[in-house]
Amino acid sequence: MEDTPSQSDHYRSSSSSASSPTAARPPRGSNFYYLRKPGPAMLRRPISFEDSPEWGDDTEIDVNADELAAESIHVGTTTVSPSLSKVNSVSVSGASPTPGLSEASRRIAGASIVWRDLSVNIREKRRYSERVVKNSTGYALPGTLTVIMGPARSGKSMLLRTLAGRLPHSARLYGEVFINGTKSQMPYGSYGYVDREDVLVDCLTVREMLYNAALLQLPGFFAEKKSAVEEAIQAMSLGDYADKLIGGHCYMTGLPYGERRRVSIARELVMRPHALFIDEPLYLLDSVSALLLMVTLKKIASTGCTIVFTMYQSSTEVFGLFDRICLLSNGNTLFFGETLACLQHFSNSGFPCPIMQSPSDHFLRAINTDFDRIIAMCKTLQDDHGDFSSVNMDTAVAIRTLEATYKSSADSAAVESMIGRLIEKEGPRLKSKGRAGFSTRIAVLTWRSILVMSRKWNYFWMRLMLYLVLTLSIGTIFTNLGHSLSSVTVRVSAIFSFVSFMMLLSVSGLPAHIDELKLHMHEEANQHTGALVYLLANLFSSIPFLFLISISSTLIFYFLVGLKDEFSLLMYFVLNIFMCLLANESLMMVVAYVWLDTFKCTMTLIFLNVIMMLVAGYFRIHDALPQLWKYPLSYLAFHTYCIQGLLENEYVGTSFAVGEIRSIPGVMAVRGSYDISASENYKWFHLLILLVMAIGYRIILLLLLCFNVRRCILKCDLCWFNKSSTA
C-alpha cells in the first residue's frame, strides 16, 4: 500500500489539472465525468423481485412508448447519479433512429440472479488448471443492465457462462448461484444466451430466421409464434431489414454487423426470456452501431428483463447506460457495484479517471497487464523522445491496490448486505417453458435445409453444373463405343472414371456442411435441437437434391456412352449412383465435424477418395491386391461396390460372339479388367452395402455428436499449441 502514491503520481501527471480536486469543472452540457462522493440523495435501495408484481404469465400492459423512453427503470434497478443520468438522456435522445417498443409493451417478469464466492477452474489433461474465476460475488436485478468488464483472459465469458448454467463438463464449479433466492439453475426457456460470434443462416431473411427460431423453440399454435417474432423484430428495430437476406444475394449486400448482432439477440427474444446473457454485444461494431444497440438493450431491460453481458471496453456514452459493473482481472473481482461508485472506487484507490478519458479505457489501462510491455518500450524511448511518464504505472500494483481497497470498502459490505436480502426469502420459481415436438423440429430443420440448398448457389447449383460438365466431358470422350468384345475394357474405364470423379466433385459441397454443423452446435448448446433431429432433417432434405444430381448426370452419361437400352437397368444405374453419393455425403459430414475447417476437410476428403480409387479394383484386380491394401481398405471403399454393381448390371446375362460358332459370357469378358460376380442378384447386395455404409457413417456422426468428441479434439489442439509455444 505504501507504493500506491508513487505509482499514482506518475499517472496523475497525464491528467494535470483535470484530476486535481481543485480543477475547473467541465462546461455545462458536456458529457465529462467529474467525481463526487455519492450522497444519500444519489442512491436508492435496489428493488428486488419481491417488489415486482406477481407475474404468473406474461401480462399485457398498455404503456405509451414516449413515457417508457422517459421513465426510469423501476423493476429491479437503481437510480444513477445526475452525471450518469445526463449521459443517459443525451444518449437516448441523440440516437437516431430511436429503437421503439410497441405501445402495448409486453411486461416481462425478470429474474434476480445472485452469485456468491463463485470460482471456476477447467480440467486440462489429468489436472485442473488455475482458477479462471476466483471468489466472485455479485448480483443482477430485473430491469437492469449489468456488465462484466475486464481485459482479455480475465474470466468474463467464463463467469457469464457460469451464471447461465452453460459450463462445459470439464469445468469444476465452487460457490453458489441463486435464481430468485433459490439455489438452482435457470430452466429451459427462462433465459436466452447470445454468443460473441454471430451464427446465422445467410440464405434466409431476417423474418424467416426468426420464424425458424420460434418454430424450433416455442410450443403452441403458429399465430402465437408469429406474434412473438413480430415483437422481437420491433423490439430490436429490425423492421426495415425484416425481408432482406442476412448474407445478401447476387448484387445485394448483406446486413451490416450491427444488424446481424440485433438478429442474434432477437432470435433469443422470441422465447420472451426472464434473463438475457450476451457475450460481447458490441463485438466488431462501430461507435454509432454500438450506442444504438445499447440503447435498444436499455429499452428491453425497461420491460423487466434482466440483462447481463460482457464487454472489453466502451465509449463514454455507452458506459453511461450501464447500471452495475463487475470488474475482473485475472479472475479476481476488483469491484462490483454501480458505475459511478466504480469511478469513485478508483479515485479512492489513488487512480482517478481523467476528465478527458473514457471510464472503461481508464479501467483497462489500470488493470490490463499487457500495458507493462508498453511501459518497457516507453522507457527505452524516454531519453530520445521526451517524457513518457503518462503511461508509467505498474498494473500489478494497481490490481493489488484496487482489490485490497474493494474488499475493505463500504461497497463490498453493501453488496454482501444486498445479497443477504435477496436470498433471505425465496421468490417465485422459474418454470421450464415447453418446446416444440420432435416431429415439428425435424420438419422445421428439413424445411430450412431445403431452403438453404435451393438458395445457396455453391452448395447445390454450382455442384450440379460441375457434375453436368463432368458427365458431358466423360460421355463425349467415351462415346460410340459399340457393343463388341473389344469395347468392354473401354466401357469399364468409362464407368470407373464416371464414379470416381463424381465422388471427388462432392467435396465442393463441404463448406455448406461445415456451416450447417456450426449452426447445429450453436442451437444444440441453447437446447433448441438435438443430434438425432439434426441428422434426420439433414437426411430428408438432402435426398431430393442428391437424387436430382444422380438422375441428371446418369441420363447424360448413360446414353452418350451407349449402355444397354432397358428402363430397369437405367433405374438401377440411377439408384446405385444415388446411394454412392449418399454414402459419400455421410462421410463428408463425419470429416466436417472432426475438423470444422475447410482446408483440413478438403485435404482429408481428397486423400480418402484417392485411396478409395486406388483400392477399388480397377488399377489392379481386387484379388491381386496386397493384403495391406485389401484388408480392410478395399472393403471400406464405396467405389468398389458401386463399380461392381454397375458392371454386373451391364454385363450379367450378356454374351459376346467369338468367331461364327463360339460365344463368351459378358462376365468372363469383364473379369479381365474387373472382378465381378456372375449372379444376377449380387448387384442388389452391393446396393444394400452402399445403403448400410450411408447409414453407418451417419450413426458414427450421431455418436460423435452425442459424446461431444469435438471438445476432446479442441483440447488436443490446445495442448499441442501450448507445447509448441513453450518449446
Side-chain angles (χ1 to χ4, degrees):
M1 298 297 292
E2 295 177 357
D3 297 337
T4 304
S6 61
Q7 294 290 340
S8 59
D9 287 342
H10 290 291
Y11 190 63
R12 286 195 187 98
S13 63
S14 66
S15 56
S16 62
S17 61
S19 60
S20 175
T22 60
R25 294 180 180 272
R28 193 177 296 271
S30 63
N31 291 337
F32 298 142
Y33 285 91
Y34 188 80
L35 299 177
R36 296 193 298 265
K37 290 186 177 182
M42 297 171 59
L43 300 176
R44 297 182 184 176
R45 182 182 67 84
I47 302 174
S48 69
F49 60 85
E50 297 175 4
D51 301 300
S52 307
E54 295 293 336
W55 309 104
D57 295 314
D58 294 341
T59 308
E60 298 285 349
I61 297 180
D62 292 333
V63 182
N64 186 272
D66 296 331
E67 293 176 358
L68 253 180
E71 69 175 352
S72 59
I73 302 173
H74 296 295
V75 182
T77 187
T78 57
T79 302
V80 296
S81 66
S83 60
L84 289 179
S85 300
K86 194 168 188 178
V87 174
N88 293 353
S89 62
V90 172
S91 302
V92 175
S93 62
S96 177
T98 303
L101 297 172
S102 61
E103 294 185 359
S105 297
R106 181 177 292 275
R107 199 70 176 175
I108 299 174
S112 171
I113 305 172
V114 173
W115 63 98
R116 185 168 62 181
D117 297 329
L118 201 63
S119 299
V120 180
N121 55 6
I122 305 296
R123 185 176 181 84
E124 295 178 353
K125 287 191 175 181
R126 298 181 180 178
R127 63 181 182 85
Y128 282 91
S129 64
E130 184 181 355
R131 294 188 176 182
V132 183
V133 180
K134 307 171 185 176
N135 300 320
S136 179
T137 299
Y139 57 88
L141 298 179
T144 62
L145 295 178
T146 303
V147 59
I148 304 173
M149 186 175 286
R153 302 177 301 278
S154 61
K156 305 186 300 294
S157 298
M158 186 60 66
L159 178 57
L160 187 74
R161 287 195 291 267
T162 304
L163 299 180
R166 292 167 57 98
L167 278 179
H169 297 292
S170 59
R172 179 177 291 179
L173 173 65
Y174 306 90
E176 300 170 309
V177 178
F178 298 87
I179 307 298
N180 283 355
T182 305
K183 190 185 297 185
S184 63
Q185 291 186 346
M186 305 199 73
Y188 173 79
S190 63
Y191 74 97
Y193 188 92
V194 183
D195 287 312
R196 182 178 67 171
E197 299 285 348
D198 296 321
V199 184
L200 303 173
V201 183
D202 292 341
C203 298
L204 299 182
T205 65
V206 172
R207 183 172 275 111
E208 288 172 345
M209 185 74 197
L210 298 183
Y211 276 149
N212 174 80
L215 292 171
L216 278 179
Q217 301 174 34
L218 298 175
F221 299 102
F222 182 77
E224 300 175 359
K225 301 177 182 181
K226 184 176 181 180
S227 174
V229 169
E230 296 303 326
E231 287 178 8
I233 290 175
Q234 190 170 9
M236 295 307 299
S237 302
L238 289 169
D240 294 338
Y241 302 92
D243 297 317
K244 292 185 178 179
L245 290 176
I246 295 175
H249 182 66
C250 295
Y251 298 102
M252 297 171 56
T253 57
L255 295 184
Y257 281 119
E259 277 60 40
R260 292 178 67 94
R261 205 71 179 123
R262 290 171 178 272
V263 175
S264 297
I265 298 174
R267 179 169 55 182
E268 301 302 321
L269 288 181
V270 297
M271 284 288 289
R272 294 163 181 158
H274 301 285
L276 188 60
F277 302 94
I278 311 175
D279 193 3
E280 295 284 355
L282 308 185
Y283 182 61
L284 296 179
L285 300 190
D286 58 82
S287 58
V288 176
S289 300
L291 178 59
L292 188 58
L293 179 57
M294 288 310 303
V295 172
T296 305
L297 292 178
K298 188 77 172 180
K299 288 181 174 292
I300 292 174
S302 69
T303 64
C305 183
T306 305
I307 300 181
V308 185
F309 55 94
T310 63
M311 189 170 293
Y312 181 76
Q313 64 185 128
S314 67
S315 64
T316 305
E317 291 82 3
V318 170
F319 184 83
L321 298 174
F322 304 154
D323 294 302
R324 293 181 185 84
I325 180 173
C326 179
L327 194 61
L328 299 180
S329 180
N330 296 325
N332 298 300
T333 302
L334 305 185
F335 179 81
F336 179 85
E338 297 182 6
T339 50
L340 181 63
C342 187
L343 289 167
Q344 187 66 46
H345 169 64
F346 270 74
S347 180
N348 295 339
S349 301
F351 308 102
C353 180
I355 291 179
M356 300 297 294
Q357 189 172 9
S358 168
S360 65
D361 290 340
H362 174 66
F363 297 159
L364 291 177
R365 168 62 191 90
I367 66 176
N368 194 344
T369 55
D370 292 337
F371 277 100
D372 292 338
R373 292 181 296 176
I374 301 178
I375 294 174
M377 293 174 58
C378 291
K379 286 181 179 179
T380 60
L381 295 174
Q382 185 168 355
D383 297 335
D384 300 331
H385 299 278
D387 186 20
F388 284 84
S389 61
S390 59
V391 294
N392 190 14
M393 178 175 60
D394 192 347
T395 55
V397 174
I399 291 172
R400 290 197 302 268
T401 304
L402 290 167
E403 186 178 6
T405 304
Y406 172 68
K407 289 181 178 179
S408 60
S409 66
D411 296 310
S412 179
V415 171
E416 293 290 345
S417 176
M418 184 63 190
I419 289 177
R421 292 199 300 270
L422 288 173
I423 66 177
E424 182 179 4
K425 181 181 178 182
E426 293 187 3
R429 283 181 174 269
L430 299 181
K431 298 180 181 179
S432 178
K433 298 181 180 179
R435 65 181 71 189
F438 183 79
S439 58
T440 302
R441 285 181 288 165
I442 292 178
V444 171
L445 290 183
T446 303
W447 165 80
R448 186 181 71 186
S449 296
I450 291 176
L451 206 58
V452 170
M453 292 177 187
S454 61
R455 292 180 180 176
K456 207 165 189 176
W457 61 272
N458 60 341
Y459 182 88
F460 173 72
W461 299 110
M462 181 59 71
R463 288 178 64 186
L464 181 61
M465 291 177 60
L466 289 175
Y467 282 129
L468 295 179
V469 171
L470 172 69
T471 306
L472 283 171
S473 302
I474 297 176
T476 52
I477 290 174
F478 293 97
T479 190
N480 297 326
L481 295 180
H483 293 279
S484 63
L485 182 61
S486 61
S487 67
V488 173
T489 304
V490 183
R491 188 171 277 107
V492 171
S493 301
I495 292 178
F496 173 81
S497 302
F498 176 70
V499 172
S500 299
F501 290 113
M502 283 281 289
M503 299 305 108
L504 197 59
L505 277 184
S506 297
V507 181
S508 60
L510 188 61
H513 285 299
I514 295 177
D515 292 341
E516 278 200 354
L517 278 167
K518 289 180 179 179
L519 182 61
H520 160 70
M521 294 167 67
H522 175 270
E523 292 175 339
E524 188 178 35
N526 288 346
Q527 304 178 24
H528 298 163
T529 184
L532 184 58
V533 172
Y534 162 71
L535 287 177
L536 290 176
N538 180 274
L539 176 63
F540 295 152
S541 60
S542 62
I543 285 176
F545 290 95
L546 293 179
F547 190 77
L548 181 58
I549 289 175
S550 302
I551 195 170
S552 58
S553 302
T554 297
L555 288 175
I556 297 175
F557 174 81
Y558 200 89
F559 292 107
L560 282 178
V561 175
L563 300 180
K564 293 174 67 174
D565 192 9
E566 293 184 22
F567 181 77
S568 60
L569 300 182
L570 174 62
M571 286 297 98
Y572 176 85
F573 201 105
V574 172
L575 194 59
N576 188 295
I577 295 297
F578 169 75
M579 286 298 176
C580 196
L581 286 174
L582 193 63
N584 196 28
E585 290 284 312
S586 303
L587 176 63
M588 286 172 57
M589 293 175 66
V590 174
V591 175
Y593 175 76
V594 171
W595 294 119
L596 280 183
D597 179 80
T598 304
F599 175 76
K600 292 180 180 179
C601 292
T602 303
M603 298 301 295
T604 302
L605 286 170
I606 291 176
F607 174 77
L608 291 177
N609 273 275
V610 170
I611 293 296
M612 290 181 187
M613 292 166 60
L614 290 175
V615 299
Y618 173 75
F619 296 103
R620 190 172 184 183
I621 299 299
H622 185 264
D623 292 335
L625 285 173
Q627 296 297 320
L628 174 64
W629 295 98
K630 186 175 181 180
Y631 301 102
L633 292 178
S634 64
Y635 291 97
L636 295 177
F638 39 76
H639 297 63
T640 304
Y641 307 104
C642 180
I643 296 172
Q644 284 183 357
L646 294 179
L647 291 176
E648 290 163 358
N649 182 63
E650 179 69 17
Y651 288 108
V652 170
T654 62
S655 61
F656 296 94
V658 180
E660 298 179 357
I661 303 175
R662 293 180 55 197
S663 65
I664 181 173
V667 174
M668 297 298 296
V670 173
R671 281 182 177 174
S673 303
Y674 209 92
D675 188 14
I676 63 174
S677 173
S679 174
E680 294 184 358
N681 297 324
Y682 215 69
K683 65 179 183 180
W684 299 105
F685 174 71
H686 290 142
L687 195 65
L688 179 61
I689 293 178
L690 290 175
L691 177 61
V692 170
M693 294 181 74
I695 298 175
Y697 282 126
R698 290 184 182 266
I699 292 177
I700 292 175
L701 181 58
L702 177 63
L703 295 176
L704 295 178
L705 290 171
C706 290
F707 290 102
N708 206 349
V709 179
R710 180 67 195 161
R711 185 187 297 118
C712 301
I713 298 173
L714 290 175
K715 284 184 181 179
C716 294
D717 290 344
L718 182 61
C719 294
W720 179 84
F721 176 77
N722 292 336
K723 285 183 179 180
S724 61
S725 60
T726 55

